[in-house]
Amino acid sequence: VSDVYLMIPLQYHSLVLHANANAILHVGKSSGNNESSPFINSSTSDVEKCQQYDGKNMALFEEEMDTSPMVSSLLSSLANYSNLTQGSKEHEEAENNEEAPRMGTLMGVYLPCMQNILGVILFLRMTWLVGAGGVLGTFIIVFMCCSTTMLTAISMSAIATNGVVPAGGSYYMISRSLGPEFGGAVGICFYLGTTFAGAMYILGCIEILLIYIVPAAAIFKMEGLEGAEAEAALLNNMRVYGTIVLSFMALVVFVGVKYVNKLALVFLACVILSILAVYAGVIKTSFDPPFFPVCLLGNRTLVSKGFDICAKTIEQGNATVTTKLWRAFCDSEFLNATCDEYFTNNNVTQIQGIPGITSGILAENLFSTFMEKNSILEKRGVPAVLDPEATVTNTNRYVMADITSFFTLLVGIYFPSVTGIMAGSNRSGDLQDAQKSIPVGTILAITTTSFIYMSSVILFGACVDGVVLRDKFGEGVNGNLVIGTLAWPSPWVIVFGSFFSTCGAGLQSLTGAPRLLQAIARDSIIPFLRVFGHGKANGEPTWALLLTACICETGILIASLDAVAPILSMFFLMCYMFVNLACALQTLLRTPNWRPRFKFYHWALSLLGMSLCLTLMFLCSWYYAIVAMVIASCIYKYIEFCGAEKEWGDGIRGISLSAARYALMRLEEGPPHTKNWRPQILVLMSLDGEQSVEQPRLLSLTSQLKAGKGLTIVGACVEGTYLNNQPQAQKADQSLRKLMEVEKVKGFSQVVISSNLRDATSHLIQAGGLGGLRHNTVLVSFPKNWKQAEEHHRCRNFIEVVRETTAAHLALLVTKNISAYPSNGERFTEGHIDVWWIVHDGGLLMLLPFLLRQHKVWRKCKIRIFTVAQMDDNSIQMKKDLMTFLYHLRFDAEVEVVEMHDSDISAYTYEKTLVMEQRSQILKEMHLTKNEREREVQLIQGKNATPTPTSPTSPTAPTPAAVTPGEEVQMTWTDETEKTNNPAVANPESVKDMFNMKPNQSNVRRMHHAQELNGVIVKKSKEAKLVLLNMPGPPKNRNGEENYMEFLEVLTEGLNRVLLVRGGGREVITIYS
């Protein structure tokens, strides 16, 4: 039977647990805290709360009562916890107005598991399995399958006793242990297995009806048909009657599930009586074997319904008279008739079909006898005269093999007979003590059924002749059910017992499968299945039943029980495999929540069970196994990409944590080799007043650079204190995550709150990442409008970032004109990425264009590498060397060496440098902060006029006038105070001196070089889609900060998109493999 016995799934989405009439425990429907925090979400008002906790000596905690309930309240709610599954059970209770009695181990677990495990295969195929596979081979198959289910039961017992398991059985256990992806995939496989099990039972039911009870009821007559025609007629009969029976059963389930549940014990009684009848028959064969003769022609088994006497001729009076058998093989009834050659050359003998347990037939049945399809059933050890070249005629007179048999086929057909071990866990809500009953009942049921199966293999082999065992439909024993021939007092006990057993099992499958589908649908992990979560007003899963009936019909259209059995074997084996995996994972990961009451488990047993399941899957049918895995994989991926977000504290998350910890520890062992270096990028984003990202294209570039598959941390800063500005930080984090999702950036967001943005940025650079997984590259945008007074702080912040990355040996990427960079949706159909390789600082400049070209935006662009030759360089040799270097690096790029000759410094350069220095001086005077001015006043009062890093003043600048501290406190940024307190403005002489300054020679040289280089770059790369060039380092002293920004501005003037690159001081590319 399907693994779902009376499975009436828990609606854990709307489950209500009553506590003190007010405290309500929800196992929620969609939120992440539904099972991670299964305590009290109070629905009472504040007034009721005050009354509820008034006078309970809880004043200290009264403000936290909604999140931290009283222990007494919590215990009360848990004591009243009931996970009775919604379905027929509640309907019966509602009608009877009384609480259903809780069941113990025997009625609640042991007997349901017995009914589910013992079924159609035992009655219809077990004798044939023993005949084809031999006693030894079949015993091995039975032992493997029973061991698999026993190991799975041990794992399942551990999971089932590690907390409450609502209905949904294995689906619930796997989804909560391995996560929604695995849970959904295996839940669907389990559902399909259960549904196909229903089809298999219905086909078994029809087979018993049409072959053994009322053969005359066949719509497509099989008399006189041979081979493929007879087979087609049988299958068509199965399809027609199967559809009728399925429709009837679905109607019964739709109208009243409670009747199915009430009949369950009747069906179970049929199974047990049938098995007892077989054992009684076996005992009887030891002293009085039943008379079931089998007629052989030579060594070939004859179909018994074609004749009445097993002889060619009989003596009647003084004359020899031919029999029906003669007339079947000859063209007339006379002795001189022309007969079949094989009939003429061989004698007819009659053997005892059931010689009995003391006959010693076991030795003959010990080994396998596999047969090809349409081959004739022959008895071992009986001589026969056969012309090898003669064709076989009159094939419809012999018992023929209907399918080709081989060991792995037998495994696939047999395995469904051991499924059904989940019946106890599926009804845990009906048990008095599920933690105790599920392990004991399930393991006892498997032990009992394993004993029945194993003893059946040996007893069948010891009692029944091999030709009868291999006679699948009993054609050689008057069309009797083979196992029925062994039964006492009559074969009809088995026939009717197995008929009612298969009917009951089919009904159970059609009852359980829709409820399993409803449980999956109501979990909302597979969006397109949500419609199947709805049902009738009483909770009956109407839509799920309809889908189940449709899928079941596909199994019936296959029409062959032997073809359907391996299909459901796949799905159940996959389900059991994941149960074992879940137990092994939880044990190996030592999850703190893993505390099963059932102690007799071990991870090695679970892994062995998992291995056995996988082995059996491929033994049964390798192509079915692959199909089942593909279906499960597709569902897994679908849930991963489209399904609802669920967090169930599953084992896969535990694996991720363990693997991450292990990997991080390994990364700590040393810096990565050059071959393993990849840009691990920290992206510094700026936010506006609404905590939205100002430059989203920075993330577009990050996404385009991620061909390196390294780490990405997107950082942002919020000014303020942590306690006051936490909401803004959360909002900023959401903005970052949303933008990362849009730009498809895989990484982490991090928002830092600090008293000022400068410190916050510094914290990000210092503390981003974890252990060996830290950023090695910082990506930042060049400050826009940095010359404006209000943007001065951004300029200072940027220069400090450059300094800090240099000090920390981090690479730095600075984007200029970031708004002009392409989005991920744009495509460049042509163009160049130009690399200006001025100085070598690790090779990052060469690596970046290669990474960019992996992305579809830049794929069509070609790389050009320019390098600068000085007067004394051999530019031709430089080009050759560079081409050789690029060849060894495996980079495809055009190479050009640009010669820069020494030229005189122009008057324009002097003038530009002078203007720059004067502007810097004014800015310094104008932008002294309040703190800096206070420090400067104190320094002057202390007669110490030496410039300090915190008050950068040029030696040529005059000293500010002395101001008392009291006056300084009253200072405000008004025009008046500027006139009176800023000496650079108040004193016209100082302004005059400032304009009489001469430019610093070092600055003049730098400005000259920047202009020269910019002229060459603009000339060569003005039309380039992107220009990458080395970024000069910041000034060592802080006096030239504004000058440094001016140099960068001059260097990149006239270019559309520029990426300034500063290496981290280590090699990042290598010519070695």
Side-chain angles (χ1 to χ4, degrees):
V1 173
S2 72
D3 275 355
V4 194
Y5 179 82
L6 299 181
M7 194 173 85
I8 310 162
L10 169 70
Q11 303 208 329
Y12 28 82
H13 322 96
S14 55
L15 178 68
V16 177
L17 312 173
H18 302 286
N20 298 343
N22 281 327
I24 297 176
L25 171 63
H26 285 288
V27 180
K29 181 171 183 178
S30 59
S31 65
N33 63 358
N34 50 351
E35 282 138 19
S36 60
S37 175
F39 294 132
I40 295 187
N41 292 329
S42 178
S43 62
T44 54
S45 68
D46 291 341
V47 177
E48 288 171 328
K49 257 185 226 164
C50 293
Q51 294 169 351
Q52 190 174 344
Y53 299 116
D54 190 34
K56 296 198 176 175
N57 299 320
M58 297 293 288
L60 276 176
F61 298 96
E62 62 189 9
E63 289 185 3
E64 300 171 6
M65 280 300 173
D66 53 343
T67 55
S68 307
M70 285 188 298
V71 174
S72 58
S73 170
L74 170 65
L75 294 177
S76 171
S77 66
L78 292 179
N80 292 331
Y81 177 76
S82 160
N83 67 340
L84 262 180
T85 54
Q86 181 169 358
S88 63
K89 204 78 191 164
E90 283 87 336
H91 306 158
E92 290 174 44
E93 290 170 21
E95 287 175 16
N96 300 335
N97 290 322
E98 60 184 26
E99 189 175 343
R102 294 286 187 145
M103 290 181 286
T105 304
L106 181 70
M107 292 298 293
V109 182
Y110 181 73
L111 291 180
C113 282
M114 285 276 288
Q115 185 195 359
N116 277 261
I117 295 170
L118 299 170
V120 64
I121 301 294
L122 174 65
F123 299 123
L124 292 184
R125 293 290 181 270
M126 198 68 191
T127 51
W128 176 76
L129 289 169
V130 175
V135 172
L136 282 178
T138 312
F139 192 86
I140 289 168
I141 292 172
V142 172
F143 182 77
M144 279 174 62
C145 294
C146 290
S147 300
T148 303
T149 52
M150 179 60 83
L151 291 169
T152 305
I154 290 170
S155 300
M156 185 199 74
S157 298
I159 297 171
T161 58
N162 187 51
V164 178
V165 177
S170 60
Y171 159 69
Y172 186 90
M173 288 189 284
I174 293 167
S175 63
R176 270 44 175 192
S177 298
L178 294 179
E181 293 87 1
F182 276 112
V186 179
I188 293 295
C189 287
F190 188 35
Y191 164 74
L192 291 173
T194 306
T195 307
F196 275 105
M200 184 185 77
Y201 289 122
I202 291 170
L203 290 174
C205 168
I206 303 303
E207 188 176 304
I208 294 166
L209 183 74
L210 291 181
I211 295 177
Y212 305 112
I213 299 178
V214 277
I219 296 171
F220 300 89
K221 302 298 179 187
M222 289 178 283
E223 278 78 15
L225 299 177
E226 293 185 29
E229 292 179 347
E231 184 184 356
L234 175 64
L235 295 182
N236 286 332
N237 282 321
M238 302 283 272
R239 290 181 182 115
V240 172
Y241 277 100
T243 305
I244 293 168
V245 171
L246 171 64
S247 305
F248 175 72
M249 285 186 173
L251 189 64
V252 169
V253 172
F254 178 76
V255 171
V257 184
K258 61 180 181 179
Y259 301 114
V260 178
N261 296 335
K262 284 176 177 173
L263 288 170
L265 277 177
V266 177
F267 296 138
L268 179 59
C270 292
V271 176
I272 292 171
L273 281 173
S274 302
I275 291 166
L276 291 175
V278 172
Y279 279 115
V282 168
I283 294 167
K284 185 174 176 290
T285 62
S286 61
F287 57 86
D288 183 19
F291 180 67
F292 278 102
V294 178
C295 195
L296 301 178
L297 175 61
N299 63 354
R300 293 177 178 176
T301 311
L302 294 169
V303 176
S304 58
K305 67 181 177 184
F307 58 89
D308 49 358
I309 299 169
C310 184
K312 292 182 181 181
T313 59
I314 54 169
E315 297 295 327
Q316 202 170 37
N318 293 327
T320 303
V321 182
T322 57
T323 60
K324 279 187 181 180
L325 187 60
W326 177 282
R327 292 194 284 278
F329 284 92
C330 301
D331 57 3
S332 74
E333 61 184 20
F334 303 110
L335 291 171
N336 61 352
T338 304
C339 297
D340 182 89
E341 186 181 350
Y342 186 84
F343 180 78
T344 307
N345 295 340
N346 291 279
N347 294 323
V348 175
T349 55
Q350 183 172 292
I351 61 167
Q352 173 61 298
I354 301 179
I357 198 167
T358 55
S359 63
I361 197 78
L362 180 64
E364 186 184 311
N365 293 331
L366 213 53
F367 300 104
S368 61
T369 310
F370 297 123
M371 298 172 68
E372 293 289 327
K373 185 175 181 178
N374 294 327
S375 60
I376 298 170
L377 189 59
E378 298 175 346
K379 178 165 174 61
R380 286 177 180 169
V382 175
V385 180
L386 176 65
D387 181 1
E389 296 179 3
T391 55
V392 178
T393 54
N394 293 293
T395 54
N396 59 337
R397 307 299 178 193
Y398 303 115
V399 179
M400 312 279 287
D402 68 326
I403 58 171
T404 301
S405 55
F406 43 90
F407 182 79
T408 55
L409 174 80
L410 304 189
V411 176
I413 291 174
Y414 173 72
F415 188 80
S417 64
V418 295
T419 61
I421 60 173
M422 303 284 184
S425 64
N426 286 339
R427 44 194 292 130
S428 58
D430 302 336
L431 302 173
Q432 283 176 353
D433 184 359
Q435 308 271 318
K436 177 185 171 189
S437 296
I438 289 175
V440 174
T442 307
I443 291 170
L444 272 180
I446 292 173
T447 307
T448 309
T449 52
S450 299
F451 171 76
I452 291 170
Y453 283 130
M454 290 176 186
S455 61
S456 297
V457 171
I458 297 165
L459 294 175
F460 292 163
C463 294
V464 187
D465 193 279
V467 288
V468 180
L469 288 173
R470 288 189 291 282
D471 184 0
K472 186 184 284 185
F473 301 112
E475 294 171 295
V477 284
N478 299 321
N480 278 297
L481 184 61
V482 175
I483 193 172
T485 61
L486 197 57
W488 178 86
S490 164
W492 290 106
V493 175
I494 294 285
V495 171
F496 283 106
S498 57
F499 177 75
F500 286 118
S501 165
T502 50
C503 284
L507 280 170
Q508 293 294 343
S509 295
L510 286 177
T511 304
R515 284 165 172 68
L516 174 58
L517 182 62
Q518 189 181 43
I520 297 168
R522 287 187 169 170
D523 251 351
S524 298
I525 56 170
I526 304 177
F528 71 84
L529 287 182
R530 283 177 189 148
V531 66
F532 298 107
H534 307 301
K536 292 194 288 187
N538 58 8
E540 285 297 309
T542 314
W543 291 106
L545 176 61
L546 188 64
L547 179 67
T548 302
C550 293
I551 296 172
C552 200
E553 178 64 18
T554 62
I556 284 165
L557 292 177
I558 294 172
S560 167
L561 190 144
D562 301 320
V564 172
I567 296 174
L568 65 110
S569 293
M570 286 305 121
F571 291 126
F572 280 126
L573 278 165
M574 184 169 286
C575 180
Y576 296 165
M577 181 173 76
F578 282 106
V579 169
N580 284 303
L581 174 63
C583 181
L585 271 185
Q586 302 274 35
T587 310
L588 287 171
L589 292 173
R590 298 189 178 136
T591 315
N593 192 49
W594 180 245
R595 303 183 298 276
R597 288 187 178 277
F598 179 77
K599 300 299 180 188
F600 305 101
Y601 69 93
H602 192 270
W603 61 266
L605 292 177
S606 299
L607 285 181
L608 178 61
M610 194 179 94
S611 307
L612 267 174
C613 289
L614 198 59
T615 306
L616 285 174
M617 280 177 73
F618 282 92
L619 271 181
C620 290
S621 169
W622 63 268
Y623 47 90
Y624 277 161
I626 290 171
V627 169
M629 286 181 165
V630 166
I631 290 172
S633 303
C634 290
I635 297 166
Y636 180 97
K637 281 294 175 190
Y638 177 79
I639 295 171
E640 190 176 51
F641 287 115
C642 307
E645 288 292 323
K646 293 281 178 183
E647 178 50 66
W648 287 325
D650 52 82
I652 295 299
R653 177 59 63 91
I655 287 185
S656 302
L657 289 170
S658 295
R661 183 179 63 86
Y662 174 76
L664 284 170
M665 298 301 287
R666 286 291 305 273
L667 285 174
E668 281 284 80
E669 291 173 8
H673 190 273
T674 303
K675 286 185 283 188
N676 293 328
W677 193 94
R678 58 195 65 196
Q680 320 270 31
I681 302 176
L682 168 64
V683 189
L684 296 177
M685 307 293 290
S686 55
L687 305 171
D688 60 17
E690 297 297 318
Q691 309 306 329
S692 298
V693 176
E694 284 187 339
Q695 295 155 334
R697 288 291 165 88
L698 208 54
L699 276 189
S700 303
L701 179 64
T702 308
S703 175
Q704 291 156 26
L705 275 170
K706 289 322 289 176
K709 301 290 183 190
L711 169 77
T712 304
I713 301 172
V714 181
C717 307
V718 173
E719 201 168 357
T721 63
Y722 186 76
L723 292 178
N724 295 337
N725 298 88
Q726 178 67 359
Q728 289 94 310
Q730 288 178 342
K731 187 177 177 184
D733 191 55
Q734 286 172 0
S735 299
L736 292 180
R737 286 174 184 272
K738 191 174 178 183
L739 187 61
M740 288 169 73
E741 194 175 323
V742 170
E743 298 292 347
K744 296 187 173 133
V745 174
K746 303 280 186 188
F748 309 97
S749 60
Q750 190 170 355
V751 178
V752 172
I753 305 173
S754 185
S755 56
N756 60 76
L757 293 178
R758 171 79 290 281
D759 289 347
T761 311
S762 181
H763 297 332
L764 270 175
I765 293 171
Q766 291 176 62
L770 179 65
L773 196 65
R774 296 193 71 250
H775 54 272
N776 54 28
T777 306
V778 176
L779 174 60
V780 66
S781 177
F782 193 82
K784 196 176 176 184
N785 304 326
W786 62 272
K787 293 182 180 180
Q788 295 176 7
E790 59 270 16
E791 295 293 322
H792 183 64
H793 67 285
R794 293 202 180 196
C795 169
R796 295 279 300 275
N797 195 2
F798 172 77
I799 295 169
E800 289 301 307
V801 167
V802 178
R803 282 203 173 98
E804 284 178 4
T805 51
T806 305
H809 303 291
L810 300 174
L812 178 65
L813 309 179
V814 178
T815 59
K816 193 143 186 295
N817 301 332
I818 185 65
S819 55
Y821 276 66
S823 67
N824 286 332
E826 295 178 44
R827 302 282 184 281
F828 287 133
T829 53
E830 57 181 2
H832 294 93
I833 298 174
D834 286 358
V835 179
W836 283 85
W837 194 18
I838 315 297
V839 295
H840 179 69
D841 55 0
L844 181 60
L845 198 67
M846 318 287 276
L847 186 62
L848 288 174
F850 168 77
L851 294 178
L852 281 173
R853 284 194 70 233
Q854 308 301 304
H855 196 275
K856 53 196 173 187
V857 172
W858 304 93
R859 194 164 289 153
K860 299 286 178 69
C861 294
K862 293 178 180 175
I863 300 175
R864 295 190 301 191
I865 296 182
F866 296 90
T867 190
V868 177
Q870 302 303 324
M871 279 294 290
D872 51 352
D873 290 331
N874 183 339
S875 56
I876 297 171
Q877 188 61 41
M878 271 182 76
K879 185 171 181 177
K880 282 184 182 176
D881 292 344
L882 182 54
M883 289 175 73
T884 307
F885 180 54
L886 289 176
Y887 174 78
H888 287 308
L889 287 175
R890 290 90 63 204
F891 285 159
D892 292 323
E894 298 174 25
V895 173
E896 188 171 339
V897 176
V898 178
E899 294 183 351
M900 281 184 69
H901 302 291
D902 285 340
S903 61
D904 292 333
I905 297 172
S906 65
Y908 173 74
T909 304
Y910 271 107
E911 186 184 343
K912 194 168 180 69
T913 309
L914 184 59
V915 169
M916 174 188 77
E917 289 184 353
Q918 289 171 347
R919 183 182 166 283
S920 297
Q921 188 58 42
I922 293 170
L923 274 173
K924 281 176 191 169
E925 297 293 348
M926 293 290 292
H927 284 96
L928 286 175
T929 65
K930 184 176 175 181
N931 288 339
E932 287 171 334
R933 280 181 308 209
E934 285 180 355
R935 286 196 204 101
E936 197 160 280
V937 168
Q938 289 164 5
L939 285 170
I940 293 163
Q941 286 179 335
K943 295 187 167 62
N944 182 1
T946 310
T948 65
T950 55
S951 60
T953 53
S954 170
T956 58
T959 356
V963 186
T964 64
E967 289 173 330
E968 179 64 24
V969 172
Q970 301 301 321
M971 247 187 213
T972 55
W973 284 103
T974 61
D975 293 339
E976 195 60 38
T977 53
E978 281 182 14
K979 287 177 187 174
T980 55
N981 292 317
N982 194 330
V985 178
N987 188 349
E989 289 300 317
S990 69
V991 176
K992 187 178 176 183
D993 289 346
M994 193 179 292
F995 284 103
N996 290 330
M997 287 168 55
K998 288 187 178 179
N1000 183 299
Q1001 287 304 309
S1002 171
N1003 286 344
V1004 171
R1005 280 202 320 277
R1006 285 179 183 153
M1007 181 66 76
H1008 175 64
H1009 182 240
Q1011 284 181 329
E1012 288 286 302
L1013 193 53
N1014 174 255
V1016 174
I1017 294 172
V1018 169
K1019 182 180 176 184
K1020 297 283 186 181
S1021 302
K1022 188 167 181 63
E1023 300 302 321
K1025 301 298 181 189
L1026 179 65
V1027 176
L1028 292 91
L1029 74 155
N1030 293 110
M1031 180 178 180
K1036 287 190 170 53
N1037 63 353
R1038 295 179 182 271
N1039 290 342
E1041 287 178 347
E1042 285 81 3
N1043 301 349
Y1044 174 65
M1045 294 297 291
E1046 191 73 51
F1047 295 143
L1048 293 181
E1049 194 70 60
V1050 170
L1051 182 62
T1052 56
E1053 200 172 359
L1055 298 172
N1056 187 20
R1057 300 182 194 94
V1058 184
L1059 185 60
L1060 294 165
V1061 180
R1062 186 161 173 73
R1066 59 160 296 164
E1067 291 295 329
V1068 300
I1069 52 173
T1070 176
I1071 63 173
Y1072 299 106
S1073 63

